[in-house]
């Protein structure tokens, strides 16, 4: 069992807030401070420092976090393994909203049918929450858009590249046909929330075009791809989504791609787990089985990867 002060330390690393850590652990803020001070005295160094109002980790704090996350995850994996010895194998899989409405669930369903002995659990959430679940051992693996995680803790493997599309209702698409992509600034933009890998891709693209969210007529944040698609069909603005998110709606003519010569954007899908995981071999075997199924049954651009 980990020292209770380590749980406080890990929580503070992730929340960067004494108040949020106290609320999360149901203890007082002075208790949080005492736990951190005790650890700093034990290790003989500062673990945190303030830069303005922002709480940051020292290099010693970052090292301790990486190691303790691995220890905590391994402890949970041991508990999970013992449970599986009695109750059978299980695999806890996280997905971001965009990936959950792409081709991925179709092939996961095929994998489930072929592996009836495994107990599966799925969670759909934004990457920020999924990252925390990976770190604390409550998820085993995550399928997401490419999201720039802390490479010293997480193992990331890109396995699929897909084009993103500017999309709207047919009437809006007809009105904007052939115009420069800057014309979308006069429209309402439907955007995933912060913490979304899709949003990060969109923000990188906007920055590359010297555009900002404040340049749009209006921005509406929506944390559901299904809801974005429905709002688009009801003539509420434009959005940028993965091709597989909207393919069926485009085929049914509920939505239409915006034909703009200067829009070109691709995104990567990735498979993520903790580097320090004791079950790394299990996760990579699962992923390679999944990727083989995709390659065999669909003409999708995949990125082969040799696991170390």
């Amino acid at each position: 069992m980990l020292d209770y002060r380590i749980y406080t330390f890990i929580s503070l690393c992730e929340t960067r807030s004494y108040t949020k850590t106290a609320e999360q652990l149901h203890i007082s803020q002075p208790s949080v401070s005492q736990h951190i001070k005790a650890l700093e005295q034990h290790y003989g160094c500062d673990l945190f420092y303030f830069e303005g109002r922002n709480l940051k980790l020292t290099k010693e704090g970052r090292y301790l976090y990486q190691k303790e996350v691995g220890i905590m995850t391994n402890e949970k994996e041991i508990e999970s393994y013992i449970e599986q010895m009695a109750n059978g194998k299980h695999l806890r899989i996280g997905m971001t909203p965009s990936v959950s409405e792409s081709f991925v669930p179709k092939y996961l369903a095929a994998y489930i049918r072929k592996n009836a002995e495994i107990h599966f659990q799925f969670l759909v959430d934004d990457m920020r929450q999924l990252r925390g679940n990976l770190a604390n051992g409550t998820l085993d693996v995550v399928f997401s858009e490419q999201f720039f995680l802390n490479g010293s803790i997480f193992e990331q493997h890109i396995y699929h590249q897909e084009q993103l599309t500017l999309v709207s209702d047919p009437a809006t698409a007809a009105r904007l046909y052939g115009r420069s992509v800057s014309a979308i600034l006069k429209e309402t933009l439907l955007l995933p929330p912060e913490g979304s890998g899709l949003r990060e891709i969109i923000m990188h693209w906007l920055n590359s075009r010297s555009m900002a969210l404040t340049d749009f007529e209006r921005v509406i944040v929506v944390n559901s791809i299904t809801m974005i698609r429905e709002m688009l069909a009801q003539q509420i603005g434009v959005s940028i989504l993965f091709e597989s998110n909207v393919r069926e709606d485009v085929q049914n003519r509920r939505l239409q791609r915006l034909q703009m010569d200067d829009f070109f954007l691709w995104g990567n899908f990735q498979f993520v787990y903790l580097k320090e995981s004791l079950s790394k071999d299990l996760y990579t075997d699962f992923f390679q089985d999944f990727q083989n199924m995709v390659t065999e049954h669909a003409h999708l651009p995949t990125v082969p990867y040799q696991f170390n």
Side-chain angles (χ1 to χ4, degrees), residues 91 93-97 99-100 104 108 122-123 125 127 130 141-145 159 269-272 286-287 290-291:
L91 191 59
I93 301 171
M95 282 186 283
T96 57
V99 173
S100 75
V104 171
L108 284 176
F122 291 92
L123 174 68
D125 211 329
M127 195 58 217
L130 296 178
V141 300
V142 163
F143 288 92
S144 73
E145 311 92 324
Y159 65 91
F269 284 13
Q270 66 180 5
F271 178 75
V272 188
F286 157 69
F287 173 66
F290 166 80
Q291 190 173 21

Side-chain angles (χ1 to χ4, degrees), residues 201-253:
I201 293 170
I202 293 170
M203 295 306 298
H204 274 287
W205 177 76
L206 288 175
N207 290 337
S208 73
R209 301 300 298 258
S210 299
M211 293 189 290
L213 295 182
T214 52
D215 296 332
F216 283 85
E217 182 70 22
R218 182 167 57 163
V219 175
I220 299 176
V221 176
V222 186
N223 69 349
S224 163
I225 301 300
T226 297
M227 186 172 177
I228 289 177
R229 289 163 45 213
E230 185 58 39
M231 293 179 75
L232 290 172
Q234 299 301 320
Q235 300 187 343
I236 305 295
V238 301
S239 191
I240 300 174
L241 298 171
F242 281 104
E243 179 68 25
S244 58
N245 295 151
V246 298
R247 186 175 292 119
E248 185 175 337
D249 286 324
V250 170
Q251 290 173 348
N252 294 335
R253 299 184 179 179

Side-chain angles (χ1 to χ4, degrees), residues 83 91 102 104 114 207 217 227 266 273 288 292 295 302:
E83 180 184 345
L91 191 59
S102 70
V104 171
K114 288 187 175 182
N207 290 337
E217 182 70 22
M227 186 172 177
W266 286 77
Y273 56 90
Q288 288 182 325
N292 288 339
T295 304
T302 57

